[in-house]
């Protein structure tokens, strides 16, 4: 595949719901339309903190005792199993932080613990986030042997100037090498890009996006740069030293993103995620369809049904504090909240309207105990911000996606 001409013919990607016929790779579970039950494992350590990042990530120059953390993950997994009861896992996601700083043996130990706690069918989607430095990419074969069958890489930009601006430690050359290796080793691969960067012009973004599509296998995550309070970028913007595109310019870049990805066969299935039909992230669909998931590791969040209750859980953010709590109590859960019907229905709206498939109104009514306000629905429909699909689904229009927060606020009361 040429890297100089982004308008190359893209390869045919096999349907992930069908058994693979290469190297005996197992099939990856397809989307059956249900929310499912996911397991999220958070590895909180990074080699460096990116200036835009507000995730729970920590730098430890003195190294990390991976065996101690693996043992703590095993204990917290057992506790989450006690809360959830027996469940069939539909997807596993190892996020961070930088999970590709984990030794393959650590990944294997944690995945084995998940399989020991719940029923994990063969071939389900097991995703791991990775940074594309040459050192981490060399571990890919070990992660594949441990059970990972989908990798999501934090590429973020395809030019070295913007990579440096974003605080990334890899070069474009390293990113391209890692992408090639990931496509060789893993049945599925995705990578992230950040757009709406300072001084980014639409034609430049279109060319970068076309290059990314030519490199991608079946999935891209494309996020607008947002300046989060508490990050270095926030301080720079407050001081007048950082200028990002305004709302109108950002909207233009967003609409361009939708047009280009659709043109090349990776339409949006969620506001920031694009995939070939059948290659959507099964794990992320669990979140957006308001399914249950166990959040394990420092700073992980979860939504678990236990008995007749739905619990929101959040673990201790500080890695060392979490490790101590697990050692003392068998888990690091710092916050637990029982979610009432109103909260659950509002969360379902907030998550589900991010999807191009929208929400199931029958399921929403069963959860909330009421119908959406008909006058409000008619009003937003008249503004071409939402639309009905068939009898029982509601979704945002492309125009509505641009003001998604306002649409959700108008529908929820």
């Amino acid at each position: 595949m040429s890297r100089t001409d982004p308008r190359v013919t893209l390869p045919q990607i096999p349907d992930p719901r069908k058994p693979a016929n290469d190297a005996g790779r197992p099939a990856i579970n397809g989307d059956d339309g249900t929310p499912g039950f996911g397991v999220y494992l958070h590895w909180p350590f990074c080699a460096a903190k990116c200036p835009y990042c507000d995730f729970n990530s920590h730098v430890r120059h003195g190294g990390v005792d991976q065996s101690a953390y693996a043992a703590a993950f095993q204990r917290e997994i057992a506790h989450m199993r006690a809360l959830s009861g027996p469940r069939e896992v539909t997807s596993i996601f190892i996020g961070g932080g930088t999970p590709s700083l984990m030794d393959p043996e650590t990944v294997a130990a944690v995945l084995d613990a998940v399989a020991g706690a719940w029923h994990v069918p063969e071939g389900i989607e097991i995703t791991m986030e990775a940074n594309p430095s040459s050192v981490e990419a060399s571990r890919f074969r070990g992660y594949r042997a441990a059970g990972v069958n989908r990798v999501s890489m934090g590429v973020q930009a395809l030019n070295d100037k913007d990579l440096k601006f974003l605080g990334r430690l890899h070069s474009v050359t390293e990113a391209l090498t890692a992408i090639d290796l990931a496509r060789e080793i893993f049945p599925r691969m995705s990578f992230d890009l950040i757009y709406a960067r300072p001084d980014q012009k639409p034609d430049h973004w279109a060319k970068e996006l076309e290059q990314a599509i030519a490199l991608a296998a079946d999935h891209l995550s494309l996020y607008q740069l947002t300046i989060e309070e508490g990050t270095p970028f926030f301080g720079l913007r407050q001081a007048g030293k950082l200028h990002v595109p305004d709302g109108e310019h950002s909207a233009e870049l967003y609409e361009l993103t939708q047009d280009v990805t659709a043109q090349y066969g990776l339409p949006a299935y969620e506001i920031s995620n694009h995939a070939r039909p059948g290659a959507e992230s099964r794990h992320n669909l669990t979140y957006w369809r308001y399914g249950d998931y166990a959040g394990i590791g420092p700073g992980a969040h979860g939504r678990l049904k236990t008995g007749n209750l739905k619990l929101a859980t959040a673990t201790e953010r500080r890695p060392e504090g979490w490790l101590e709590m697990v050692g003392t109590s068998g888990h690091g859960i710092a916050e637990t909240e029982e979610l009432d019907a109103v909260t659950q229905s509002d969360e379902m709206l907030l998550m589900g309207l991010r999807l191009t498939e929208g929400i199931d109104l029958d399921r929403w009514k069963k959860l909330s105990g009421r119908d959406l306000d008909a006058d409000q629905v008619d009003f937003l429909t008249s503004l071409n911000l939402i639309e009905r699909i068939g009898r029982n689904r509601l979704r945002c229009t492309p125009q509505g996606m641009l003001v998604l927060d306002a649409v959700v606020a108008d529908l929820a009361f």
Side-chain angles (χ1 to χ4, degrees), residues 3 7 22 32 74 85 130 132 212 229 241 253 255 326 339:
R3 289 191 179 129
R7 294 180 180 271
D22 58 327
D32 62 2
Q74 291 167 338
E229 189 170 357
K241 297 179 180 180
L253 292 170
E255 291 174 331
V326 175
L339 302 178

Side-chain angles (χ1 to χ4, degrees), residues 206-361:
K207 290 178 181 177
E208 186 174 0
L209 188 52
E210 288 172 340
Q211 182 187 6
I213 292 168
L215 294 167
D218 59 12
H219 191 286
L220 286 172
S221 296
L222 306 169
Y223 302 106
Q224 290 193 38
L225 177 63
T226 55
I227 309 301
E228 304 290 352
E229 189 170 357
T231 64
F233 273 0
F234 183 84
L236 288 173
R237 189 178 67 175
Q238 292 293 96
K241 297 179 180 180
L242 175 62
H243 302 280
V244 296
D246 59 21
E248 185 175 342
H249 189 183
S250 293
E252 180 183 6
L253 292 170
Y254 171 80
E255 291 174 331
L256 176 65
T257 302
Q258 312 316 302
D259 292 343
V260 173
T261 53
Q263 176 188 350
Y264 285 96
L266 274 81
Y269 68 98
E270 188 269 345
I271 194 167
S272 299
N273 285 270
H274 305 254
R276 300 191 181 285
E280 297 85 356
S281 168
R282 184 70 179 91
H283 188 82
N284 287 338
L285 283 172
T286 294
Y287 297 153
W288 297 320
R289 288 175 175 161
Y290 203 53
D292 289 353
Y293 54 96
I296 298 153
H301 291 252
R303 294 290 185 275
L304 285 177
K305 287 180 183 173
T306 175
N308 295 322
L309 301 175
K310 184 152 186 172
L311 300 180
T313 64
T315 58
E316 167 61 43
R317 292 174 58 86
R318 295 174 300 111
E320 293 78 12
W322 175 83
L323 192 65
E324 183 179 353
M325 287 179 67
V326 175
T328 301
S329 305
H331 66 86
I333 298 176
E335 299 176 19
T336 302
E337 178 186 358
E338 294 181 9
L339 302 178
D340 60 23
V342 172
T343 302
Q344 291 184 55
S345 59
D346 284 350
E347 287 188 341
M348 182 180 172
L349 271 181
L350 179 64
M351 302 302 286
L353 287 178
R354 297 175 63 92
L355 291 166
T356 56
E357 71 181 24
I359 61 170
D360 181 331
L361 292 174

Side-chain angles (χ1 to χ4, degrees), residues 12 38 56 76 81 103 157 163 167-168 175 220 234 254 266 271 338 346 371 383 390 394 397:
Q12 291 295 312
N56 187 43
E76 187 162 83
R81 166 60 173 80
D103 294 332
L163 284 175
R168 307 300 288 168
L220 286 172
F234 183 84
Y254 171 80
L266 274 81
I271 194 167
E338 294 181 9
D346 284 350
D371 290 308
L383 296 178
L394 188 76
T397 64

Side-chain angles (χ1 to χ4, degrees), residues 40 75 107 239 249 282:
Y40 176 75
R75 291 196 68 186
V107 175
H249 189 183
R282 184 70 179 91

Side-chain angles (χ1 to χ4, degrees), residues 101-248:
L101 293 176
M102 300 168 76
D103 294 332
E105 295 78 10
T106 304
V107 175
V110 174
L111 291 179
D112 285 348
V114 173
W118 296 283
H119 175 52
V120 178
E122 183 179 355
I124 69 163
E125 178 188 282
I126 302 177
T127 302
M128 180 176 181
E129 291 182 339
N131 278 349
S133 74
S134 57
V135 173
E136 291 158 13
S138 68
R139 302 183 177 196
F140 280 1
R141 295 190 189 281
Y143 300 142
R144 182 71 188 98
V148 175
N149 53 27
R150 182 177 181 271
V151 68
S152 177
M153 290 195 295
V155 173
Q156 312 307 10
L158 289 172
N159 68 78
D160 286 326
K161 178 183 176 183
D162 283 349
L163 284 175
K164 183 177 181 180
F165 161 73
L166 292 169
R168 307 300 288 168
L169 299 181
H170 61 271
S171 66
V172 170
T173 298
E174 287 175 315
L176 297 178
T177 299
I179 289 170
D180 284 347
L181 187 61
R183 293 191 62 158
E184 173 189 343
I185 293 171
F186 297 98
R188 290 176 58 197
M189 182 270 294
S190 176
F191 62 88
D192 301 355
L193 292 179
I194 292 174
Y195 67 99
R197 307 188 291 258
D199 303 318
Q200 188 173 40
K201 295 179 172 55
D203 59 333
H204 293 169
W205 171 232
K207 290 178 181 177
E208 186 174 0
L209 188 52
E210 288 172 340
Q211 182 187 6
I213 292 168
L215 294 167
D218 59 12
H219 191 286
L220 286 172
S221 296
L222 306 169
Y223 302 106
Q224 290 193 38
L225 177 63
T226 55
I227 309 301
E228 304 290 352
E229 189 170 357
T231 64
F233 273 0
F234 183 84
L236 288 173
R237 189 178 67 175
Q238 292 293 96
K241 297 179 180 180
L242 175 62
H243 302 280
V244 296
D246 59 21
E248 185 175 342

